[in-house]
Amino acid sequence: MPHAPSSSILPWLACCVRCLLLVSLALAAAPLQAAPDTTDTTDWDFSRLMQDFSQAGSARARFTERKHMQILKEPLITSGLLEFHAPDRLEKRVLKPYEELYLVTNDTLVIEQPAKGSTRRFVLQRYPVMWAFVEGLRSTLAGNAETLRRFYAIKLQGSREHWRLDLDPLDDAMREIITSIRIEGAEARIGTIEILEKNGDRSVMAITPESP
């Protein structure tokens, strides 16, 4: 039976969850090249948005993230690369102001911190909350609306040309880390992702897709 993480490691895992959410949700709607717009938007809704997500496939993008923390007067700014390789590889590579790698492949999470000479590996099944997040994100990348609804209360507003998707965790354990995820975009591209944490901190990531 999986064991819950200790109280000392939970805040660190919370940070990892936040990073993986940003990677997955950004790349789910950031294809390398926009497909020709042949969609009838008359009945555009969450299901049609998920169809757009499912067409993203493998992708690569640049990010700039601003992390607003109550203990800091100014936001912490990081930037780097995001990658997704279907069907199950997610990667966030921080390049500035330090180097750090978050990588999920199959059922394993790897965290590399070169400056500390540290590499940590986690089997997701041993951390049920993280596992649930990762599986939910993989379903997003696959355009699996049914599974996504198992994890979040979903609210979509706007039009295909300018929309906002709010994802509020349903599980109590998830809500101990993240209260809401707000994603804004146009068609099959995301402009910004805002993640609100229970402790009052928040992060805002700007996404710029790029070719390999």
Side-chain angles (χ1 to χ4, degrees), residues 12 16 100-102 109-113 118-120 122:
W12 184 82
C16 296
E100 198 165 62
L101 172 67
Y102 298 84
L109 166 66
V110 176
I111 311 293
E112 292 184 1
Q113 297 172 301
S118 172
T119 299
R120 302 186 184 187
F122 298 88

Side-chain angles (χ1 to χ4, degrees), residues 9 36 73 75 100 102 117 130 147 155 159 164 166 178 191 208:
I9 200 173
K73 293 183 178 180
E100 198 165 62
Y102 298 84
M130 172 105 42
T147 300
K155 179 180 179 182
S159 65
R164 174 174 143 178
D166 293 351
I178 294 172
T208 305

Side-chain angles (χ1 to χ4, degrees), residues 38-147:
T38 58
T39 303
D40 178 3
T41 59
T42 303
D43 297 319
W44 186 84
D45 57 11
F46 175 67
S47 296
R48 300 298 288 271
L49 180 61
M50 291 299 288
Q51 288 181 356
D52 289 345
F53 284 3
S54 68
Q55 296 171 2
S58 298
R60 178 183 173 95
R62 291 191 174 274
F63 74 87
T64 300
E65 180 184 1
R66 288 173 168 79
K67 170 68 174 175
H68 301 267
M69 304 174 66
Q70 297 182 68
I71 62 174
L72 299 178
K73 293 183 178 180
E74 299 292 334
L76 175 64
I77 302 176
T78 58
S79 62
L81 296 172
L82 309 174
E83 291 192 48
F84 168 69
H85 297 279
D88 62 6
R89 180 184 173 95
L90 307 174
E91 180 178 331
K92 176 182 181 181
R93 187 177 296 274
V94 178
L95 299 177
K96 296 180 180 181
Y98 52 83
E99 293 187 5
E100 198 165 62
L101 172 67
Y102 298 84
L103 174 64
V104 173
T105 304
N106 196 9
D107 62 352
T108 302
L109 166 66
V110 176
I111 311 293
E112 292 184 1
Q113 297 172 301
K116 298 180 180 179
S118 172
T119 299
R120 302 186 184 187
R121 289 179 173 81
F122 298 88
V123 177
L124 292 174
Q125 285 86 342
R126 294 188 59 191
Y127 302 93
V129 173
M130 172 105 42
W131 188 17
F133 269 118
V134 169
E135 291 305 325
L137 297 173
R138 288 173 178 170
S139 297
T140 300
L141 293 171
N144 190 332
E146 180 180 357
T147 300

Side-chain angles (χ1 to χ4, degrees), residues 28 68 179 196:
H68 301 267
T179 58
L196 306 178

